[in-house]
Amino acid sequence: MIEHFGVPERNKRKPAPVDLLIATILSQNTNDNNSYEAYQNLKRKYSDWNQLVKAPLKEIEKTIKKAGLTNQKAGAIKNLVVNLSRDNRLDMKFIKKMDNKEALEYLTSFKGIGIKTASCVLLFSLYRNVCPVDTHVHRTLNRIGIVNEKSPEKTFLRINENLPEGIAHSLHTNLIKLGRGICRPTNPDCTVCPISDLCAYPEKKHSKSSKTKEKRLFIAR
């Protein structure tokens, strides 16, 4: 996948954990453009996350309308900042001292924050070797045959059991590219898949190279 997609670049500056948490909550069940616009609207409206503590929930919902599921997402964001602010921990610097298991358990203790959102904080904000699993990563890993799990949460646990050091960012990012552009939910384009020869998906189409070989064998006969 690195040969096909390249090595994904990292942000020059690590995003603050709370910023990434809020951005990832907004990204749930919507596209990147909508979630980004909702996040920017939130930042323009509230220059400091502490302002969200006293902000009316309806006002937050209106501000993030572009991201959809406004009741659910506004509630999760409000709950997060209220609890962090109450303990004077809104900068979330303390999380850097936690190991991966502790950090995941702490973050998922908040309403509306699941394992995918929490693991995104570990990968993108703390630069930990943790591979988040969304629907694209779940689908591709199961089709390839690396795991055989029914849910993204179970795929996450399996894939991160013995993940080689230093590959999480590249693996996660390139699997998403693979899942969005090639290994689509319906009508996957196996003919251009860079790992088709390794894939165990029973319904995969023959690659171009395989078709060429079959044609040559037929002519030779």
Side-chain angles (χ1 to χ4, degrees):
M1 287 193 295
I2 288 176
E3 289 180 0
H4 186 84
F5 297 116
V7 178
E9 291 186 6
R10 278 192 176 275
N11 292 331
K12 293 181 180 179
R13 293 181 60 187
K14 294 180 183 179
V18 67
D19 289 2
L20 192 62
L21 268 176
I22 291 172
T24 309
I25 290 170
L26 291 171
S27 74
Q28 295 167 2
N29 301 107
T30 191
N31 60 49
D32 292 344
N33 290 333
N34 288 343
S35 64
Y36 178 78
E37 186 174 335
Y39 180 79
Q40 292 302 315
N41 288 342
L42 206 60
K43 291 289 283 185
R44 281 191 290 266
K45 181 77 173 179
Y46 309 102
S47 57
D48 187 315
W49 294 134
N50 275 304
Q51 294 174 2
L52 284 170
V53 175
K54 295 183 178 180
L57 197 58
K58 289 294 183 182
E59 184 179 276
I60 300 173
E61 290 174 5
K62 183 178 179 181
T63 307
I64 65 169
K65 183 178 179 181
K66 193 70 176 179
L69 297 175
T70 53
N71 292 350
Q72 176 182 319
K73 293 178 180 180
I77 292 169
K78 177 86 171 179
N79 179 68
L80 174 69
V81 296
V82 165
N83 280 281
L84 290 174
S85 179
R86 183 183 297 138
D87 298 328
N88 197 27
R89 306 178 96 184
L90 201 51
D91 60 11
M92 294 190 73
K93 290 181 179 179
F94 62 93
I95 203 171
K96 297 177 182 178
K97 297 179 181 179
M98 295 180 176
D99 63 27
N100 293 343
K101 183 179 179 181
E102 288 176 314
L104 289 171
E105 288 178 352
Y106 174 76
L107 292 171
T108 55
S109 69
F110 290 98
K111 181 182 177 181
I113 296 178
I115 197 72
K116 191 208 83 171
T117 300
S119 57
C120 281
V121 173
L122 267 64
L123 176 63
F124 294 108
S125 188
L126 304 182
Y127 280 23
R128 302 286 180 85
N129 191 52
V130 174
C131 181
V133 174
D134 66 354
T135 55
H136 298 294
V137 176
H138 172 64
R139 180 177 66 255
T140 53
L141 287 176
N142 277 271
R143 279 182 176 174
I144 294 164
I146 293 175
V147 298
N148 181 21
E149 301 294 346
K150 298 295 185 181
S151 69
E153 290 78 13
K154 290 183 177 179
T155 295
F156 172 83
L157 294 174
R158 290 282 290 122
I159 195 65
N160 283 283
E161 281 177 345
N162 297 296
L163 195 66
E165 192 61 39
I167 74 162
H169 182 255
S170 177
L171 180 66
H172 171 77
T173 306
N174 283 338
L175 280 174
I176 289 177
K177 290 178 181 177
L178 185 73
R180 285 177 175 173
I182 297 174
C183 194
R184 300 180 292 266
T186 58
N187 195 30
D189 193 356
C190 306
T191 61
V192 297
C193 178
I195 55 172
S196 179
D197 292 342
L198 305 174
C199 180
Y201 186 46
E203 299 176 37
K204 73 176 178 180
K205 301 171 185 176
H206 291 295
S207 66
K208 291 179 180 179
S209 59
S210 297
K211 287 183 177 180
T212 302
K213 288 178 182 177
E214 288 176 359
K215 185 176 180 181
R216 286 174 180 170
L217 285 171
F218 179 77
I219 293 173
R221 290 172 186 165

